[in-house]
Amino acid sequence: MRHLLFLHLLGASVWVGGHLVLLFSVLPGALRRRDVQPVRQFEQLYERVGIPALLVQIVSGLWLASLWLPHGQWFDSSPMAHLVQAKLVLLGFTALLGVHARLALIPKLDAQRLPQLGLHIVLITLTAVAFVWVGSGFRFGGLF
Ligand code: HEM
């Protein structure tokens, strides 16, 4: 349990930290210079740790969730079940944003599409931060 939580927190640091750096350090410069290159470069470097971190989050998260609540109760309407459901909704949203970025945005990325990419980065970062907020709710018995 301790090791699982450790991995979950390590993965969270990488996932959330990386997206905050992308949003607050890389994106503003790219928008100012109307140049997609810094974002592309960052994504290439980040991918190598970011994707494994997300996979660690999914596996350790599902595992931790099953320790808090048996699978059969994940879709009940208890406060704990709501936390698990919120995590799953955020995961779905992360997957949609990822697929959309990969298939629709990145292949045709040019200076004109930078604002669209920016919105995308804002949404994925907000989702990452929301994961942390929901995660911290487990010890406190609810979302708020
Ligand atoms: C990038 C995605 C994710 C991030 C950044 C993230 C982040 C966090 C953080 C910071 C905590 C607080 C840990 C603590 O209690 O000290 C947490 C807890 C938790 N997360 Fe996630 N999480 C992610 C994905 C998931 C997924 C996909 C699930 C699956 C349902 C999940 C399930 C849980 C559970 C069950 C806990 C409670 C752990 C505990 O305190 O014992 N997480 N998460």
Side-chain angles (χ1 to χ4, degrees):
M1 170 76 176
R2 169 90 185 256
H3 299 90
L4 212 53
L5 186 58
F6 168 76
L7 285 177
H8 201 69
L9 290 173
L10 193 61
S13 318
V14 171
W15 187 252
V16 182
H19 284 92
L20 288 172
V21 171
L22 175 59
L23 177 61
F24 290 113
S25 306
V26 181
L27 183 65
L31 285 172
R32 228 179 293 122
R33 290 193 294 275
R34 297 177 172 279
D35 178 13
V36 295
Q37 211 45 40
V39 178
R40 271 194 198 281
Q41 227 163 27
F42 179 84
E43 300 226 306
Q44 253 172 23
L45 290 171
Y46 177 69
E47 228 170 36
R48 248 171 283 160
V49 278
I51 300 299
L54 182 60
L55 294 179
V56 165
Q57 286 319 90
I58 296 171
V59 174
S60 61
L62 292 174
W63 200 333
L64 284 165
S66 64
L67 297 178
W68 278 100
L69 213 58
H71 294 126
Q73 294 173 23
W74 282 16
F75 298 98
D76 287 0
S77 67
S78 65
M80 275 332 217
H82 285 152
L83 290 171
V84 175
Q85 290 153 22
K87 285 274 190 175
L88 296 176
V89 168
L90 290 171
L91 185 57
F93 198 47
T94 303
L96 281 179
L97 284 168
V99 168
H100 180 254
R102 280 276 152 161
L103 300 184
L105 217 54
I106 294 177
K108 297 182 277 185
L109 197 57
D110 55 22
Q112 263 191 340
R113 287 198 175 78
L114 257 179
Q116 210 185 329
L117 182 70
L119 176 65
H120 209 277
I121 293 172
V122 168
L123 290 178
I124 193 89
T125 308
L126 284 176
T127 308
V129 172
F131 262 124
V132 174
W133 177 262
V134 175
S136 67
F138 282 84
R139 282 158 202 280
F140 295 91
L143 262 178
F144 300 104

